[in-house]
Every structure is written in C-alpha cells, then in structure tokens.
Tab-separated table of all heavy atoms in Angstrom:
chain	number	residue	atom	x	y	z
A	1	ALA	N	-8.559	-8.277	7.703
A	1	ALA	CA	-8.830	-7.731	9.036
A	1	ALA	C	-10.146	-6.965	9.064
A	1	ALA	O	-10.862	-6.977	10.070
A	1	ALA	CB	-7.680	-6.827	9.467
A	2	LEU	N	-10.481	-6.322	7.945
A	2	LEU	CA	-11.721	-5.538	7.865
A	2	LEU	C	-12.973	-6.401	7.893
A	2	LEU	O	-14.072	-5.901	8.138
A	2	LEU	CB	-11.713	-4.681	6.591
A	2	LEU	CG	-10.883	-3.400	6.682
A	2	LEU	CD1	-10.562	-2.862	5.293
A	2	LEU	CD2	-11.613	-2.348	7.505
A	3	GLU	N	-12.828	-7.688	7.669
A	3	GLU	CA	-13.981	-8.589	7.712
A	3	GLU	C	-14.536	-8.714	9.127
A	3	GLU	O	-15.734	-8.969	9.317
A	3	GLU	CB	-13.583	-9.972	7.186
A	3	GLU	CG	-13.264	-9.983	5.693
A	3	GLU	CD	-12.752	-11.338	5.224
A	3	GLU	OE1	-12.682	-12.268	6.070
A	3	GLU	OE2	-12.412	-11.469	4.033
A	4	THR	N	-13.675	-8.524	10.111
A	4	THR	CA	-14.114	-8.636	11.506
A	4	THR	C	-14.114	-7.298	12.247
A	4	THR	O	-14.874	-7.111	13.194
A	4	THR	CB	-13.214	-9.628	12.276
A	4	THR	OG1	-11.842	-9.269	12.095
A	4	THR	CG2	-13.427	-11.047	11.750
A	5	ASN	N	-13.258	-6.379	11.844
A	5	ASN	CA	-13.179	-5.067	12.501
A	5	ASN	C	-13.063	-3.972	11.451
A	5	ASN	O	-12.003	-3.812	10.844
A	5	ASN	CB	-11.964	-5.004	13.434
A	5	ASN	CG	-12.087	-5.953	14.599
A	5	ASN	OD1	-12.949	-5.795	15.450
A	5	ASN	ND2	-11.227	-6.964	14.638
A	6	LYS	N	-14.151	-3.261	11.248
A	6	LYS	CA	-14.147	-2.201	10.243
A	6	LYS	C	-13.773	-0.865	10.863
A	6	LYS	O	-14.505	-0.318	11.701
A	6	LYS	CB	-15.529	-2.107	9.571
A	6	LYS	CG	-15.759	-3.182	8.522
A	6	LYS	CD	-17.063	-2.964	7.776
A	6	LYS	CE	-17.117	-3.783	6.498
A	6	LYS	NZ	-16.791	-5.186	6.650
A	7	TYR	N	-12.614	-0.356	10.451
A	7	TYR	CA	-12.137	0.941	10.912
A	7	TYR	C	-11.703	1.756	9.703
A	7	TYR	O	-11.088	1.218	8.775
A	7	TYR	CB	-10.952	0.794	11.868
A	7	TYR	CG	-11.265	0.013	13.125
A	7	TYR	CD1	-10.587	-1.177	13.413
A	7	TYR	CD2	-12.218	0.458	14.025
A	7	TYR	CE1	-10.870	-1.898	14.566
A	7	TYR	CE2	-12.504	-0.249	15.177
A	7	TYR	CZ	-11.826	-1.427	15.443
A	7	TYR	OH	-12.110	-2.128	16.585
A	8	SER	N	-11.979	3.050	9.743
A	8	SER	CA	-11.606	3.903	8.616
A	8	SER	C	-10.093	3.908	8.393
A	8	SER	O	-9.626	3.933	7.261
A	8	SER	CB	-12.105	5.332	8.850
A	8	SER	OG	-11.511	5.899	10.009
A	9	ALA	N	-9.329	3.876	9.490
A	9	ALA	CA	-7.870	3.895	9.372
A	9	ALA	C	-7.364	2.672	8.615
A	9	ALA	O	-6.357	2.746	7.897
A	9	ALA	CB	-7.233	3.950	10.751
A	10	MET	N	-8.066	1.554	8.759
A	10	MET	CA	-7.674	0.331	8.052
A	10	MET	C	-7.876	0.513	6.544
A	10	MET	O	-7.041	0.094	5.738
A	10	MET	CB	-8.497	-0.844	8.560
A	10	MET	CG	-7.887	-2.187	8.297
A	10	MET	SD	-6.684	-2.646	9.548
A	10	MET	CE	-7.733	-3.158	10.900
A	11	TYR	N	-9.001	1.118	6.173
A	11	TYR	CA	-9.247	1.395	4.747
A	11	TYR	C	-8.207	2.378	4.201
A	11	TYR	O	-7.748	2.248	3.066
A	11	TYR	CB	-10.647	1.968	4.542
A	11	TYR	CG	-11.735	0.928	4.479
A	11	TYR	CD1	-12.717	0.849	5.458
A	11	TYR	CD2	-11.807	0.024	3.411
A	11	TYR	CE1	-13.734	-0.104	5.402
A	11	TYR	CE2	-12.819	-0.933	3.338
A	11	TYR	CZ	-13.769	-0.991	4.335
A	11	TYR	OH	-14.764	-1.931	4.277
A	12	ASP	N	-7.835	3.353	5.025
A	12	ASP	CA	-6.837	4.340	4.610
A	12	ASP	C	-5.497	3.663	4.335
A	12	ASP	O	-4.835	3.948	3.333
A	12	ASP	CB	-6.694	5.396	5.706
A	12	ASP	CG	-5.664	6.459	5.362
A	12	ASP	OD1	-5.792	7.083	4.294
A	12	ASP	OD2	-4.735	6.654	6.167
A	13	ASN	N	-5.103	2.767	5.215
A	13	ASN	CA	-3.851	2.024	5.009
A	13	ASN	C	-3.932	1.113	3.787
A	13	ASN	O	-2.966	0.986	3.035
A	13	ASN	CB	-3.527	1.193	6.252
A	13	ASN	CG	-2.861	2.010	7.344
A	13	ASN	OD1	-1.885	2.696	7.111
A	13	ASN	ND2	-3.392	1.941	8.548
A	14	MET	N	-5.079	0.497	3.611
A	14	MET	CA	-5.259	-0.377	2.465
A	14	MET	C	-5.159	0.423	1.165
A	14	MET	O	-4.548	-0.023	0.184
A	14	MET	CB	-6.621	-1.091	2.531
A	14	MET	CG	-6.810	-2.162	1.460
A	14	MET	SD	-8.243	-3.228	1.785
A	14	MET	CE	-9.589	-2.070	1.550
A	15	ALA	N	-5.719	1.613	1.168
A	15	ALA	CA	-5.654	2.480	-0.009
A	15	ALA	C	-4.207	2.816	-0.348
A	15	ALA	O	-3.798	2.807	-1.521
A	15	ALA	CB	-6.445	3.763	0.231
A	16	LEU	N	-3.420	3.119	0.676
A	16	LEU	CA	-2.019	3.461	0.450
A	16	LEU	C	-1.249	2.264	-0.108
A	16	LEU	O	-0.376	2.418	-0.976
A	16	LEU	CB	-1.376	3.940	1.751
A	16	LEU	CG	0.070	4.445	1.660
A	16	LEU	CD1	0.212	5.526	0.597
A	16	LEU	CD2	0.539	4.968	3.015
A	17	CYS	N	-1.584	1.063	0.370
A	17	CYS	CA	-0.951	-0.150	-0.162
A	17	CYS	C	-1.260	-0.311	-1.652
A	17	CYS	O	-0.360	-0.579	-2.459
A	17	CYS	CB	-1.442	-1.383	0.591
A	17	CYS	SG	-0.773	-1.546	2.246
A	18	TYR	N	-2.524	-0.158	-2.001
A	18	TYR	CA	-2.907	-0.284	-3.409
A	18	TYR	C	-2.227	0.795	-4.255
A	18	TYR	O	-1.778	0.541	-5.376
A	18	TYR	CB	-4.423	-0.175	-3.564
A	18	TYR	CG	-5.170	-1.432	-3.194
A	18	TYR	CD1	-6.297	-1.381	-2.365
A	18	TYR	CD2	-4.784	-2.672	-3.693
A	18	TYR	CE1	-6.996	-2.543	-2.045
A	18	TYR	CE2	-5.474	-3.831	-3.372
A	18	TYR	CZ	-6.580	-3.758	-2.535
A	18	TYR	OH	-7.269	-4.901	-2.217
A	19	PHE	N	-2.153	2.006	-3.696
A	19	PHE	CA	-1.516	3.107	-4.422
A	19	PHE	C	-0.044	2.794	-4.688
A	19	PHE	O	0.454	2.969	-5.806
A	19	PHE	CB	-1.645	4.407	-3.618
A	19	PHE	CG	-0.952	5.572	-4.248
A	19	PHE	CD1	-1.491	6.200	-5.368
A	19	PHE	CD2	0.255	6.037	-3.739
A	19	PHE	CE1	-0.843	7.279	-5.959
A	19	PHE	CE2	0.904	7.113	-4.317
A	19	PHE	CZ	0.358	7.730	-5.441
A	20	LYS	N	0.656	2.328	-3.661
A	20	LYS	CA	2.070	2.004	-3.830
A	20	LYS	C	2.270	0.801	-4.749
A	20	LYS	O	3.325	0.649	-5.367
A	20	LYS	CB	2.717	1.757	-2.465
A	20	LYS	CG	2.866	3.018	-1.627
A	20	LYS	CD	3.651	2.769	-0.348
A	20	LYS	CE	3.894	4.080	0.405
A	20	LYS	NZ	4.748	3.898	1.609
A	21	ALA	N	1.238	-0.051	-4.839
A	21	ALA	CA	1.306	-1.206	-5.742
A	21	ALA	C	0.984	-0.808	-7.175
A	21	ALA	O	1.146	-1.607	-8.097
A	21	ALA	CB	0.352	-2.296	-5.280
A	22	GLY	N	0.492	0.435	-7.347
A	22	GLY	CA	0.175	0.928	-8.683
A	22	GLY	C	-1.246	0.688	-9.127
A	22	GLY	O	-1.603	0.951	-10.271
A	23	ASP	N	-2.106	0.198	-8.210
A	23	ASP	CA	-3.512	-0.055	-8.547
A	23	ASP	C	-4.342	1.141	-8.073
A	23	ASP	O	-4.892	1.149	-6.963
A	23	ASP	CB	-4.003	-1.344	-7.905
A	23	ASP	CG	-5.293	-1.849	-8.536
A	23	ASP	OD1	-6.120	-1.006	-8.938
A	23	ASP	OD2	-5.459	-3.080	-8.648
A	24	ILE	N	-4.416	2.156	-8.922
A	24	ILE	CA	-5.052	3.419	-8.550
A	24	ILE	C	-6.553	3.268	-8.310
A	24	ILE	O	-7.103	3.853	-7.378
A	24	ILE	CB	-4.810	4.493	-9.637
A	24	ILE	CG1	-3.302	4.672	-9.871
A	24	ILE	CG2	-5.436	5.815	-9.233
A	24	ILE	CD1	-2.523	5.067	-8.639
A	25	SER	N	-7.230	2.466	-9.130
A	25	SER	CA	-8.682	2.323	-8.988
A	25	SER	C	-9.056	1.712	-7.639
A	25	SER	O	-9.993	2.162	-6.963
A	25	SER	CB	-9.254	1.477	-10.127
A	25	SER	OG	-8.692	0.175	-10.119
A	26	LEU	N	-8.321	0.669	-7.217
A	26	LEU	CA	-8.603	0.061	-5.917
A	26	LEU	C	-8.217	1.000	-4.777
A	26	LEU	O	-8.872	1.016	-3.724
A	26	LEU	CB	-7.854	-1.265	-5.776
A	26	LEU	CG	-8.409	-2.444	-6.578
A	26	LEU	CD1	-7.554	-3.696	-6.378
A	26	LEU	CD2	-9.861	-2.740	-6.185
A	27	ALA	N	-7.187	1.804	-4.985
A	27	ALA	CA	-6.777	2.784	-3.972
A	27	ALA	C	-7.876	3.830	-3.778
A	27	ALA	O	-8.214	4.181	-2.638
A	27	ALA	CB	-5.479	3.454	-4.387
A	28	ILE	N	-8.439	4.311	-4.874
A	28	ILE	CA	-9.527	5.301	-4.796
A	28	ILE	C	-10.738	4.719	-4.089
A	28	ILE	O	-11.355	5.366	-3.233
A	28	ILE	CB	-9.905	5.789	-6.217
A	28	ILE	CG1	-8.761	6.621	-6.816
A	28	ILE	CG2	-11.198	6.597	-6.188
A	28	ILE	CD1	-8.958	6.985	-8.276
A	29	GLU	N	-11.065	3.481	-4.424
A	29	GLU	CA	-12.224	2.818	-3.823
A	29	GLU	C	-12.034	2.645	-2.314
A	29	GLU	O	-12.948	2.913	-1.526
A	29	GLU	CB	-12.419	1.447	-4.475
A	29	GLU	CG	-13.617	0.677	-3.928
A	29	GLU	CD	-13.733	-0.715	-4.550
A	29	GLU	OE1	-13.163	-0.946	-5.632
A	29	GLU	OE2	-14.393	-1.568	-3.928
A	30	ALA	N	-10.832	2.234	-1.898
A	30	ALA	CA	-10.563	2.029	-0.475
A	30	ALA	C	-10.580	3.346	0.294
A	30	ALA	O	-11.119	3.427	1.404
A	30	ALA	CB	-9.220	1.336	-0.294
A	31	GLU	N	-10.008	4.405	-0.301
A	31	GLU	CA	-9.977	5.695	0.389
A	31	GLU	C	-11.378	6.286	0.498
A	31	GLU	O	-11.706	6.957	1.488
A	31	GLU	CB	-9.043	6.665	-0.330
A	31	GLU	CG	-8.596	7.838	0.511
A	31	GLU	CD	-7.781	7.409	1.722
A	31	GLU	OE1	-6.861	6.584	1.565
A	31	GLU	OE2	-8.075	7.903	2.832
A	32	LYS	N	-12.211	6.033	-0.501
A	32	LYS	CA	-13.610	6.481	-0.443
A	32	LYS	C	-14.310	5.848	0.751
A	32	LYS	O	-15.068	6.508	1.473
A	32	LYS	CB	-14.325	6.105	-1.743
A	32	LYS	CG	-15.792	6.514	-1.767
A	32	LYS	CD	-16.456	6.072	-3.068
A	32	LYS	CE	-17.948	6.428	-3.056
A	32	LYS	NZ	-18.627	5.960	-4.291
A	33	LYS	N	-14.056	4.558	0.979
A	33	LYS	CA	-14.660	3.864	2.118
A	33	LYS	C	-14.115	4.408	3.431
A	33	LYS	O	-14.834	4.472	4.438
A	33	LYS	CB	-14.400	2.366	2.008
A	33	LYS	CG	-15.197	1.703	0.889
A	33	LYS	CD	-14.912	0.213	0.809
A	33	LYS	CE	-15.725	-0.431	-0.309
A	33	LYS	NZ	-15.426	-1.885	-0.447
A	34	ALA	N	-12.838	4.808	3.436
A	34	ALA	CA	-12.242	5.404	4.639
A	34	ALA	C	-12.975	6.692	5.008
A	34	ALA	O	-13.308	6.923	6.175
A	34	ALA	CB	-10.760	5.685	4.415
A	35	VAL	N	-13.257	7.512	4.003
A	35	VAL	CA	-13.977	8.776	4.236
A	35	VAL	C	-15.389	8.500	4.742
A	35	VAL	O	-15.831	9.098	5.736
A	35	VAL	CB	-14.028	9.616	2.942
A	35	VAL	CG1	-14.938	10.833	3.140
A	35	VAL	CG2	-12.637	10.062	2.528
A	36	GLU	N	-16.089	7.604	4.080
A	36	GLU	CA	-17.470	7.288	4.456
A	36	GLU	C	-17.559	6.759	5.885
A	36	GLU	O	-18.438	7.156	6.661
A	36	GLU	CB	-18.052	6.262	3.480
A	36	GLU	CG	-18.264	6.809	2.072
A	36	GLU	CD	-18.655	5.717	1.079
A	36	GLU	OE1	-18.569	4.514	1.445
A	36	GLU	OE2	-19.031	6.058	-0.063
A	37	LEU	N	-16.647	5.867	6.233
A	37	LEU	CA	-16.685	5.272	7.568
A	37	LEU	C	-16.273	6.269	8.640
A	37	LEU	O	-16.851	6.298	9.729
A	37	LEU	CB	-15.768	4.041	7.606
A	37	LEU	CG	-15.891	3.128	8.831
A	37	LEU	CD1	-17.341	2.694	9.050
A	37	LEU	CD2	-14.998	1.909	8.670
C-alpha cells in the first residue's frame, strides 16, 4: 500500500506487524520511517 500512498500511520502499523512477528530490525526501520514522514 505504501508504494502508492505513503503515510506515517502505515509505517507505524507495519512496524507493529514486524514487531509482533519477531523481526525487531525491520520493526525499528519501519518505525524510523514513520517518525521521519
């Protein structure tokens, strides 16, 4: 979805998904983008 509509809330949700999946590095990267955006 972010390929066509970039929203910080989308990155925030994606980070939470990665976190719950146990992929901490991808969660950190996604949340960083949420803050920047």
Side-chain angles (χ1 to χ4, degrees):
L2 281 162
E3 292 175 2
T4 52
N5 294 294
K6 282 186 164 50
Y7 299 119
S8 62
M10 201 84 78
Y11 278 114
D12 180 55
N13 279 309
M14 188 167 68
L16 185 53
C17 286
Y18 282 133
F19 177 74
K20 290 186 175 184
D23 196 326
I24 304 302
S25 61
L26 286 179
I28 292 172
E29 181 183 340
E31 199 63 47
K32 179 182 177 182
K33 289 180 180 178
V35 172
E36 292 172 350
L37 192 53

